Amino acid sequence: MSMAIRHKHQRIVAALASDIRVGRLRRGSRLPGEHALASRFDVSRNTVRQALAALADQGLIATHSGRGSFVTFD
C-alpha cells in the first residue's frame, strides 16, 4: 500500500493536528461540531468520531459529551 493512501480519518487528523500545532486552533478553542467537520471533509460522522478519538489519543483535544471537542495542546 502506498504511503499516499490513507484512511479517511487520518486525513482529518493530519489537517486538524496541523491547525492545532501551528496555532490556527488555540488551546481552549472549540472544534466545529461533527456535522460541520463531516461536511468539510466529505465523510461520515463516524469517520469524524474516529478522527476526534485519534486526536484525543495524541493529547491534542478533549471531547466532552454534549459540549463538544476542545483543543488541549498548548
Side-chain angles (χ1 to χ4, degrees):
M1 183 190 283
S2 167
M3 291 299 291
I5 298 172
R6 293 185 180 189
H7 292 285
K8 291 178 184 177
H9 77 278
Q10 291 173 322
R11 186 170 46 93
I12 300 167
V13 170
L16 294 178
S18 174
D19 286 349
I20 291 167
R21 289 192 172 106
V22 301
R24 278 191 290 271
L25 290 170
R26 298 187 184 278
R27 182 179 180 89
S29 297
R30 184 174 183 220
L31 295 181
E34 289 178 3
H35 286 289
L37 290 171
S39 177
R40 173 181 167 188
F41 292 100
D42 193 28
V43 296
S44 70
R45 286 179 57 211
N46 189 53
T47 300
V48 169
R49 286 188 202 107
Q50 285 182 296
L52 295 176
L55 289 166
D57 287 346
Q58 293 178 26
L60 297 175
I61 68 166
T63 300
H64 305 285
S65 184
R67 289 183 32 218
S69 299
F70 298 85
V71 176
T72 55
F73 180 80
D74 197 359

